[in-house]
Amino acid sequence: MLFREPENALSLYNALNGTNYADASQITFNMLDNAIYMGMQNDISFLIMNEVNLYEHQSTYNLNMPLRDLFYVAELLQVYVKDQSLYSSKLIKLPTPHFVVFYNGVEDKPEKRILRLSEAFEVPTKDPELELKVTILNINPRMNEDLKEKCPVLKQYTQYVEQVRCNSMNMSLEQAVEEAIEYCIQHNILKEFLSKQKAEVIKMSIFEYDEEREIELIRRDEREIGKEIGKEIGKEIGQKIGEEIGAEKERENTIKSIISFGKKLGASKEQIIKELQERCLLEEQEAEKKVTLYWNE
């Protein structure tokens, strides 16, 4: 949402690429109908200077981003070349794609990591014939500070996130978000944006941190289940079985969370089914069954 404003998107692009473009009107946002990739309003896709940039913010680490981006950019390019013939002898020029994830979750992660689609291949190869790289940049405190200095909006966004987290340690989530917004406005942190978009920011922040908290609680609980089973039936076998049970329960609870939070935001069943397909790698039929099973819980 914040970086869907052309000036902010341009500032972030310049910071990442070492450029100094000043005309935000050069940016064209790409919006695909029914593209669940853009379900959260802090993800953007835009075209500038014949480059297509897909930026996503995440508070949970997702190793499947190369696959998700592959699906999205393939659909985007279909729209881009829709008026041209793929059977022509003339080479069709395409915009150069760039994929970046900005991570600010609570898990300890490296400052920078490159994910490759080929890492998911069942049969490893040194020279993959299909490849897509995604750069994950950790924007938590003391991480990628040079980038944040080059893009003040990104720096202020991370300050807002930290304020919410700090507040949430001793107050309700809704109060933590509201007080973080007031604090930031008073201290000239995203002041104009937060003043104009306060209601929407509260809604999105509560959704995001509710999901983050629930996933963390699920992981903690399932780790404990694994430990208890390990104690009862032997360390080596118990640990393996416990991890498998924990992983399965974690996956099922994540599915429940996606359905629950999607309903809260007013998403349709079809949108949630697509989200489950992409985030949990479910087949469409299985995703439909999960939505039917948990819709009224």
Side-chain angles (χ1 to χ4, degrees):
M1 183 167 60
L2 175 62
F3 289 99
R4 287 191 178 183
E5 295 187 6
E7 293 78 9
N8 294 341
L10 183 60
S11 174
L12 185 56
Y13 175 87
N14 282 334
L16 285 168
N17 296 281
T19 52
N20 294 293
Y21 297 125
D23 185 4
S25 66
Q26 296 181 80
I27 284 184
T28 301
F29 287 100
N30 306 307
M31 299 300 295
L32 296 178
D33 293 337
N34 301 319
I36 199 66
Y37 177 95
M38 297 294 162
M40 293 293 289
Q41 294 187 24
N42 46 10
D43 306 325
I44 58 171
S45 170
F46 64 90
L47 186 70
I48 180 174
M49 304 301 289
N50 294 317
E51 294 181 324
V52 61
N53 301 273
L54 278 70
Y55 297 164
E56 179 167 354
H57 154 256
Q58 289 182 349
S59 58
T60 54
Y61 224 65
N62 189 334
L63 300 181
N64 296 308
M65 284 309 301
L67 184 59
R68 290 181 61 189
D69 280 344
L70 176 64
F71 291 155
Y72 184 81
V73 77
E75 189 173 355
L76 189 65
L77 292 177
Q78 287 183 56
V79 175
Y80 188 81
V81 302
K82 66 178 181 178
D83 296 324
Q84 303 183 64
S85 173
L86 299 182
Y87 301 98
S88 169
S89 59
K90 179 182 177 181
L91 179 66
I92 298 175
K93 292 290 187 177
L94 302 173
T96 303
H98 300 284
F99 309 95
V100 183
V101 170
F102 300 94
Y103 170 76
N104 72 336
V106 295
E107 294 183 78
D108 186 22
K109 297 297 180 181
E111 188 169 44
K112 179 179 179 179
R113 179 175 177 181
I114 306 295
L115 299 181
R116 291 175 170 81
L117 180 66
S118 59
E119 293 171 352
F121 294 167
E122 291 281 5
V123 180
T125 175
K126 293 182 179 180
D127 186 22
E129 296 177 24
L130 176 64
E131 186 63 285
L132 188 149
K133 296 191 293 184
V134 178
T135 300
I136 301 183
L137 298 175
N138 191 333
I139 57 172
N140 278 304
R142 297 176 296 282
M143 295 285 187
N144 286 295
E145 292 298 331
D146 288 345
L147 175 65
K148 285 181 271 189
E149 289 300 325
K150 293 176 182 177
C151 181
V153 177
L154 180 63
K155 180 178 181 178
Q156 291 178 37
Y157 167 72
T158 61
Q159 290 173 329
Y160 163 72
V161 170
E162 284 305 303
Q163 192 62 40
V164 172
R165 284 186 177 147
C166 180
N167 291 349
S168 65
M169 295 176 67
N170 51 30
M171 62 183 71
S172 69
L173 181 56
E174 185 171 359
Q175 184 182 0
V177 171
E178 291 179 351
E179 293 203 10
I181 291 174
E182 292 303 321
Y183 173 89
C184 289
I185 291 174
Q186 292 173 12
H187 291 80
N188 204 30
I189 299 171
L190 300 179
K191 181 177 181 179
E192 183 177 354
F193 174 78
L194 292 175
S195 297
K196 290 181 179 179
Q197 305 286 347
K198 182 176 180 179
E200 187 67 15
V201 171
I202 291 174
K203 176 182 175 182
M204 295 305 299
S205 295
I206 290 175
F207 173 84
E208 178 182 329
Y209 288 106
D210 265 345
E211 183 179 42
E212 182 180 324
R213 280 179 170 181
E214 185 158 342
I215 289 174
E216 180 58 30
L217 288 173
I218 289 169
R219 288 176 176 170
R220 186 189 67 186
D221 290 344
E222 302 314 328
R223 284 194 294 267
E224 291 301 317
I225 290 175
K227 289 179 182 178
E228 290 302 317
I229 293 177
K231 290 178 182 178
E232 292 179 8
I233 62 175
K235 184 176 180 181
E236 185 175 348
I237 297 176
Q239 182 177 359
K240 183 176 180 180
I241 295 176
E243 287 174 354
E244 290 177 356
I245 293 175
E248 182 60 30
K249 285 183 175 290
E250 178 180 332
R251 180 172 180 269
E252 198 67 17
N253 280 299
T254 298
I255 290 171
K256 290 181 182 179
S257 296
I258 291 172
I259 295 171
S260 174
F261 290 130
K263 284 181 62 181
K264 287 181 182 178
L265 287 180
S268 67
K269 288 186 177 181
E270 290 73 19
Q271 289 175 313
I272 295 175
I273 287 170
K274 287 187 177 181
E275 181 76 1
L276 290 174
Q277 286 180 264
E278 295 199 0
R279 292 185 59 178
C280 301
L281 301 181
L282 299 181
E283 295 293 335
E284 183 176 2
Q285 188 174 8
E286 185 180 1
E288 290 175 352
K289 289 181 180 179
K290 296 296 184 183
V291 170
T292 300
L293 179 62
Y294 297 125
W295 187 259
N296 294 318
E297 285 197 0

